């Protein structure tokens, strides 16, 4: 009874809290090729939503429709309640975007580039040096954009995307090509923006990035969303794992079944590793582990490299990418 | 907003002209060179005026082709391939501001170039100020404006900045030969003359010459003299033709202009 009330309450809250981004049954075709095959999701105000997927999954197509570069073939999208393609002029002043690459006037210096985009921006909350300082490019102010490294260009791009304090920020693979330190600093900056209320839609190949930043995420594959939710939701659906090195001279088919599941065996060099993919319930995982250990003791096997863990985002991602 | 953005973009384009050798050559050096060719033609008469001034006024029209059309075809193509147009379109800049900003920068250069060439004509060829300065100014500005959508349209058929020189070439040969910018077509068959007169650069040449000489170049030589008011009347159909070509350019550009590279 109580839980039901809680559930209903949660549904109402979700309905009330406004969506900054809404995608409904979105489809996009290029000629005969359907890049996005009917996806739906919402990003609430102040939330960071990550779109994960392999190359060609449809992430960039999706984000570019939301950025208003093209109209969807079918379905509908809205950003801040408006169609980003037909209501460009109303939506643009409130969005910032980082393209996957390029788009710079390469003959200009870093400072000239920032100055230009700041001049045409509807709001100018930061000075030139603040804008450069946030992405640690002050020392590059006088350098021509063509001379920047890939990672520095990504940082300049992020500076341009955020200089007008947008309500909604689109980041298409924002940290590609950055060194680990720059990536960490970029994450901090993105976290600050989200903390200040910015809604962010981010695409990335880096699972660590999504794990670190995303409130919710969706994993895309072949134009469809295969999984969506918070990281713990997404990962929980995939259950727990028990893994160990198969004792030598033990035929693989003599390994016990746990929760009715046979292990998958992977051979690395000369070693065989067994992995059980179990359900998400911790109690039954614990029972399975107890069964496994007593089985091993009874048969006088020693289980080397024994590990028990919940599925990681990487496991989930790889499963989705290799399924289909 | 539109005006602010247009002015800011024009300023940006002018800054970049000085950074890029090719752009500098197309918009500054080469047009001046064309103007100077006229200075070498000191003797003789064509179509009732001195050869030097005839060519000088023709070059006033022809340089617009380079300053605006050729330059912008290259610029739009390069910016598309560099994804600059995509970034601009994803920003607060409106499409109108993007085109008018670059168009304004070219037009400013073209007006300045024209002033320099007219001055050179006065100094070196015994020329004079245009009889109808506003009309010459209008011819130059409308000619430039006409080339903006045309350049946008042609850039849709141009893959890279380098290939712009190839796609522009046919238009250059046809327009330079048919516009009477450097030689009259009076000896050609009537039909050829009519077709030539209808092409985009021809009315620009006529308007500039009518305004400069105060002679009605839409009539056969010897061209009848027109006063200030008469020069407007004589130019009116030619001005309308420039506007018509501008509309045609906009229509083609709407269909063929591309904001993103083909294989993006």
């Amino acid at each position: 009874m109580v839980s039901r009330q809680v559930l209903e309450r949660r549904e109402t809250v979700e309905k009330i809290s406004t969506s900054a981004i809404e995608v409904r049954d979105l489809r996009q075709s290029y000629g005969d090729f359907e890049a996005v095959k009917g996806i739906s999701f919402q990003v609430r105000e102040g939330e960071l939503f990550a779109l994960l997927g392999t190359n060609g999954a449809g992430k960039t197509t999706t984000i570019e429709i939301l950025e208003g570069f093209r109209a969807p073939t079918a379905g509908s999208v809205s950003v801040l309640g408006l169609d980003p393609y037909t209501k460009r002029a109303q939506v643009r002043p409130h969005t910032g975007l980082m393209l996957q690459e390029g788009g710079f006037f390469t003959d200009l210096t870093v400072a000239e580039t920032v100055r230009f985009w700041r001049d045409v921006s509807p709001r100018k909350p930061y000075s030139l040096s603040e804008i450069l300082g946030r992405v640690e490019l002050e020392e590059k102010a006088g350098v021509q954009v063509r001379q920047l490294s890939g990672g520095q260009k990504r940082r300049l791009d992020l500076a341009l995307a955020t200089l007008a304090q947008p309500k909604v920020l689109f980041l298409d693979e924002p940290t590609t090509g950055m060194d680990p330190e720059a990536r960490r600093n970029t994450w901090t900056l993105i976290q600050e923006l989200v903390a200040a209320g910015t809604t962010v839609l981010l695409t990335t190949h880096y699972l660590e990035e999504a794990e670190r930043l995303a409130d919710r995420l969706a994993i895309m594959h072949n134009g469809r969303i295969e999984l969506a939710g918070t990281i713990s939701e997404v990962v929980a659906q995939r259950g727990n794992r028990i893994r160990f090195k198969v004792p030598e001279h033990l035929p693989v088919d003599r390994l016990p079944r746990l929760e009715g599941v046979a292990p998958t065996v992977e051979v690395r060099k000369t070693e065989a590793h067994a992995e059980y993919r179990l359900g998400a319930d911790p109690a039954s995982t614990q029972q399975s582990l107890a069964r496994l250990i007593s089985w091993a003791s009874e048969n006088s096997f020693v289980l080397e490299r024994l590990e028990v863990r919940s599925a990681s985002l990487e496991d989930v991602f790889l499963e989705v990418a290799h399924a289909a | 907003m539109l005006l602010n953005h247009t002015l800011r973009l024009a300023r940006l384009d002018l800054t970049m002209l000085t950074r890029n050798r090719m752009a500098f050559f197309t918009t500054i050096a080469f047009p001046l060179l064309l103007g100077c060719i006229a200075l070498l033609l000191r003797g003789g008469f064509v179509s009732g005026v001195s050869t030097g001034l005839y060519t000088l006024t023709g070059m006033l029209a022809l340089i617009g082709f380079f300053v605006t059309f050729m330059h912008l075809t290259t610029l739009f193509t390069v910016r598309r391939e560099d994804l600059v147009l995509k970034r601009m379109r994803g920003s607060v800049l409106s499409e109108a501001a993007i085109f008018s900003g670059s168009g304004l920068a070219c037009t400013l250069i073209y007006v300045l170039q024209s002033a320099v060439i007219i001055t050179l004509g006065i100094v070196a060829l015994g020329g004079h100020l245009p009889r109808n300065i506003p009309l010459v100014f209008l011819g130059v500005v409308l000619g430039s404006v006409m080339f903006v959508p045309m350049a946008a349209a042609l850039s849709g058929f141009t893959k890279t900045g380098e290939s712009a020189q190839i796609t522009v070439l046919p238009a250059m040969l046809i327009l330079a030969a048919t516009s009477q910018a450097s030689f009259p077509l009076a000896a050609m068959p009537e039909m050829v003359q009519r077709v030539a007169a209808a092409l985009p650069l021809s009315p620009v040449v006529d308007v500039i010459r009518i305004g400069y000489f105060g002679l009605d170049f839409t009539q056969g030589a010897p061209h009848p003299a027109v006063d200030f008011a008469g020069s407007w009347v004589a130019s009116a159909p030619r001005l309308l033709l420039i506007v018509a070509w501008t509309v045609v350019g906009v229509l083609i550009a709407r269909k063929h202009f591309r904001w993103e590279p083909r294989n993006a």
Side-chain angles (χ1 to χ4, degrees), chain A residues 64 69-70 88 92-93 97 99 101-105 107-108 112 115-117 119-120 122 157 160, chain B residues 1 5 8-9 12 15-16 19-20 79 82-84 86-95 260:
Chain A
E64 289 194 346
F69 285 116
R70 52 188 66 90
R88 259 174 57 92
R92 285 296 194 283
L97 59 96
L99 299 176
E101 53 161 348
F104 297 111
F105 301 102
D107 289 328
L108 292 187
E112 285 169 330
R115 219 175 276 136
F116 170 74
W117 287 110
D119 283 353
V120 297
D157 207 337
L160 301 181
Chain B
M1 195 80 124
H5 285 173
R8 188 62 183 85
L9 270 164
L12 180 85
T15 312
M16 277 190 298
R19 308 264 169 100
N20 184 306
R79 285 191 181 168
D82 286 349
L83 300 173
V84 170
K86 185 174 182 178
R87 177 184 293 276
M88 287 176 147
R89 195 158 177 247
S91 74
V92 288
L93 300 172
S94 64
E95 293 177 5
E260 293 179 39

Side-chain angles (χ1 to χ4, degrees), chain A residues 241-247 252 255 262-277 305 307 309 315 318:
Chain A
R241 298 175 188 226
I242 297 178
R243 197 181 162 87
F244 55 88
K245 193 185 140 195
V246 180
V252 169
L255 288 168
T264 52
V265 177
E266 189 187 328
V267 179
R268 284 191 201 157
K269 292 180 188 164
T270 57
E271 298 183 350
H273 289 258
E275 184 177 85
Y276 291 90
R277 297 181 182 178
R305 309 233 190 120
E307 48 180 271
R309 59 181 178 85
D315 295 324
L318 292 176

Side-chain angles (χ1 to χ4, degrees), chain B residues 37-38 40-59 125 128 179-187 205-206 209 212-213 215-217 219-224:
Chain B
I37 289 174
L40 303 172
L41 307 169
R42 281 161 186 280
F45 289 88
V46 179
S47 211
V49 295
S50 88
T51 311
L53 289 178
Y54 182 87
T55 311
L56 186 96
T57 48
M59 291 306 155
L125 283 175
H128 48 81
S179 63
Q180 314 201 55
S182 38
F183 50 86
L185 297 175
V205 172
D206 286 344
R209 285 208 177 115
Y212 187 87
F213 293 107
L215 299 171
D216 185 356
F217 272 77
Q219 309 284 325
H223 312 294

Side-chain angles (χ1 to χ4, degrees), chain A residues 176-190:
Chain A
T176 302
M178 285 187 190
D179 62 53
E181 201 204 336
R183 175 168 300 149
R184 233 151 265 277
N185 294 338
T186 303
W187 288 344
T188 308
L189 174 56
I190 294 173

Side-chain angles (χ1 to χ4, degrees), chain A residues 219-254:
Chain A
I219 301 180
M220 286 187 78
H221 186 61
N222 282 338
R224 292 199 173 84
I225 290 183
E226 298 289 341
L227 272 175
T230 62
I231 291 175
S232 47
E233 282 166 3
V234 165
V235 166
Q237 293 165 23
R238 294 288 146 152
N240 298 320
R241 298 175 188 226
I242 297 178
R243 197 181 162 87
F244 55 88
K245 193 185 140 195
V246 180
E248 276 176 45
H249 313 303
L250 174 69
V252 169
D253 54 7
R254 284 195 49 209

Side-chain angles (χ1 to χ4, degrees), chain B:
Chain B
M1 195 80 124
L2 176 62
L3 182 65
N4 280 344
H5 285 173
T6 301
L7 292 174
R8 188 62 183 85
L9 270 164
R11 206 178 105 202
L12 180 85
D13 272 18
L14 291 174
T15 312
M16 277 190 298
L17 278 186
T18 58
R19 308 264 169 100
N20 184 306
R21 204 176 302 163
M22 189 64 209
F24 182 82
F25 184 78
T26 316
T27 58
I28 315 278
F30 190 66
L32 272 181
L33 197 74
L34 277 181
C36 289
I37 289 174
L39 304 184
L40 303 172
L41 307 169
R42 281 161 186 280
F45 289 88
V46 179
S47 211
V49 295
S50 88
T51 311
L53 289 178
Y54 182 87
T55 311
L56 186 96
T57 48
M59 291 306 155
L60 279 183
L62 190 60
I63 62 173
F65 180 91
F66 294 94
V67 175
T68 304
F69 184 68
M70 186 164 176
H71 173 60
L72 286 187
T73 303
T74 314
L75 179 130
F76 289 143
T77 306
V78 169
R79 285 191 181 168
R80 182 186 66 224
E81 296 305 306
D82 286 349
L83 300 173
V84 170
L85 288 181
K86 185 174 182 178
R87 177 184 293 276
M88 287 176 147
R89 195 158 177 247
S91 74
V92 288
L93 300 172
S94 64
E95 293 177 5
I98 295 169
F99 290 114
S100 21
S102 293
L104 176 62
C106 292
T107 306
L108 280 175
I109 302 249
Y110 184 17
V111 169
L112 282 177
Q113 293 272 28
S114 302
V116 169
I117 289 172
I118 289 172
T119 310
L120 284 176
I122 294 172
V123 174
L125 283 175
H128 48 81
L129 279 178
R131 304 292 181 221
N132 184 341
I133 293 176
L135 182 58
V136 172
F137 179 77
L138 189 68
V140 164
V141 170
L142 285 184
S144 184
V145 169
M146 171 185 77
F147 279 133
V148 177
M150 286 188 175
L154 186 63
S155 82
F157 299 96
T158 310
K159 277 224 166 91
T160 65
E162 286 89 53
S163 62
Q165 282 151 62
I166 298 164
T167 54
V168 163
L169 194 67
M172 182 178 77
L173 294 176
I174 292 169
L175 295 186
T178 56
S179 63
Q180 314 201 55
S182 38
F183 50 86
L185 297 175
M188 296 301 250
E190 167 92 19
M191 192 61 198
V192 175
Q193 288 194 49
R194 279 208 188 157
V195 171
L199 293 176
L201 194 59
S202 312
V204 182
V205 172
D206 286 344
V207 168
I208 289 174
R209 285 208 177 115
I210 294 169
Y212 187 87
F213 293 107
L215 299 171
D216 185 356
F217 272 77
T218 61
Q219 309 284 325
H223 312 294
V226 282
D227 58 9
F228 189 84
S231 62
W232 286 106
V233 175
S235 308
R238 307 305 278 157
L239 290 169
L240 282 176
L241 181 60
I242 300 175
V243 173
W245 273 113
T246 311
V247 173
V248 170
V250 169
L251 294 176
I252 304 176
R254 282 203 161 179
K255 194 161 162 47
H256 294 286
F257 182 76
R258 303 179 62 88
W259 289 95
E260 293 179 39
R262 208 168 285 269
N263 300 318

